[in-house]
Amino acid sequence: MALITPHEIRSWQFTTRGWLHQSYDADEVDDLLDDAADSLEQVSRWALITHSRMHALQAGHRHRRRSLKRRRMAIKNNKRKGRK
């Protein structure tokens, strides 16, 4: 399914019915709203997945940074103990 763009939504032309009181075709309006809702749902899922992955990467990066810091400190402490 192709995503509907904001430009397509804004430029959509509906068929009007009636002579004195013009109204839109309800089926056309429903179709546009369904397409817009599907597109929004797909983009929302993509954003949620992307955010989750970025959060996991950042959390993993912090963990690795702390781990490396602990290793450096352990190496420094071992060197100091070996010199005495």
Side-chain angles (χ1 to χ4, degrees):
M1 179 191 92
L3 295 176
I4 189 169
T5 65
H7 175 71
E8 290 174 319
I9 293 171
R10 288 185 184 104
S11 63
W12 198 277
Q13 296 293 317
F14 294 106
T15 305
T16 56
R17 293 185 174 181
W19 178 72
L20 185 56
H21 299 286
Q22 290 189 354
S23 62
Y24 296 120
D25 182 8
D27 291 335
E28 286 184 17
V29 175
D30 288 342
D31 290 343
L32 175 64
L33 290 174
D34 287 341
D35 289 346
D38 291 343
S39 295
L40 181 60
E41 184 177 26
Q42 191 170 355
V43 169
S44 297
R45 279 190 202 140
W46 176 82
L48 181 63
I49 290 168
T50 302
H51 175 74
S52 297
R53 287 182 180 168
M54 290 300 296
H55 180 72
L57 288 172
Q58 290 173 349
H61 179 68
R62 283 193 298 263
H63 175 72
R64 282 192 299 270
R65 207 172 8 166
R66 288 184 199 132
S67 178
L68 289 173
K69 185 176 180 180
R70 285 187 207 116
R71 288 180 191 160
R72 281 194 302 267
M73 293 300 291
I75 290 169
K76 282 183 183 179
N77 289 338
N78 286 339
K79 284 182 180 179
R80 287 182 187 160
K81 289 178 184 178
R83 289 184 188 165
K84 290 183 179 179

